[in-house]
Amino acid sequence: MRSTPSGFRRRGRPLDEQTNAPGRGPSAELDVAASGLEPRPGRPGRARSAILFVLVAAAWFALDVATKGWVSGGWQEGDVVTGPILGLVRFHLVHNTGMAWGMFGDSTFALGVLSLAVCAAATAYLFAFSKRPNTLETTGIALVVAGGLGNALDRFTLGYVVDFIEPVFIDFPVFNVADIGVTCGFAIFLAGMALAWRREDRALDAAAPTDGEGAGPR
């Protein structure tokens, strides 16, 4: 009885020259190895985004808690802590149970729940739905989340939000560091999205064939 040499066909299926495994040739082995060594896109970028997110959110949250603790520690509601600073703002301690301009007064708990929901949605978007968030997008959402958590903490533990920054050159509600994070963070996030869209448009324009390219013979 004659044996079939390695590398020849047996029942129409190729044999690997080294392993005699049916259906896997040298090219298949190389493809498998290449696929195993190929880096998975997006993971390093997401790790950097997560680190930046945690650092920015933690720093802004700590700043908000520290400033509220300082102004609440030595003064009572209604006290003017400082006079106008550079003619722009003064520190005036206010306990806010609603939103800006007195809207939704005495809705502290509901507004706290809403703040947590917004923070959860923003974080989910950044890490679950955004394909490749850039630095501006990550920083903006981190500020929004830090501000939302800071005000929610006040609402659940104190029953009101500690506001103390009052502009003196315009008629504007008293606010705090958390409010600055939410407002500026949202603006930074929009700027990051606009930048990402612009880069995508440039990449599509660069990849598009110019006149005369890509056309085959007629």
Side-chain angles (χ1 to χ4, degrees), residues 32-200:
V32 172
S35 63
L37 295 175
E38 183 180 2
R40 297 181 180 179
R43 286 193 174 184
R46 288 196 178 277
R48 286 193 294 267
S49 295
I51 293 173
L52 177 62
F53 174 84
V54 171
L55 291 178
V56 172
W60 200 261
F61 180 80
L63 178 62
D64 178 59
V65 172
T67 52
K68 289 175 178 175
W70 167 73
V71 75
S72 298
W75 290 272
Q76 307 228 342
E77 181 184 9
D79 288 349
V80 176
V81 180
T82 64
I85 301 175
L86 300 178
L88 299 176
V89 298
R90 67 176 182 174
F91 290 167
H92 175 200
L93 180 58
V94 173
H95 295 169
N96 187 2
T97 59
M99 296 179 65
W101 285 287
M103 294 187 298
F104 302 103
D106 298 325
S107 301
T108 300
F109 184 82
L111 292 173
V113 173
L114 179 61
S115 295
L116 294 182
V118 171
C119 292
T123 305
Y125 169 80
L126 182 65
F127 293 107
F129 299 103
S130 181
K131 294 180 180 179
R132 200 173 290 179
N134 56 36
T135 301
L136 290 178
E137 290 176 301
T138 303
T139 301
I141 289 185
L143 290 174
V144 170
V145 170
L149 292 179
N151 282 340
L153 179 64
D154 278 6
R155 295 187 188 278
F156 292 136
T157 59
L158 302 175
Y160 54 83
V161 173
V162 177
D163 290 332
F164 62 95
I165 304 174
E166 181 180 22
V168 296
F169 62 98
I170 57 173
D171 183 14
F172 196 80
V174 185
F175 56 93
N176 55 37
V177 172
D179 297 330
I180 297 174
V182 172
T183 304
C184 294
F186 185 68
I188 293 172
F189 170 71
L190 291 180
M193 289 190 66
L195 179 62
W197 291 337
R198 185 176 181 184
R199 287 178 176 174
E200 288 180 2

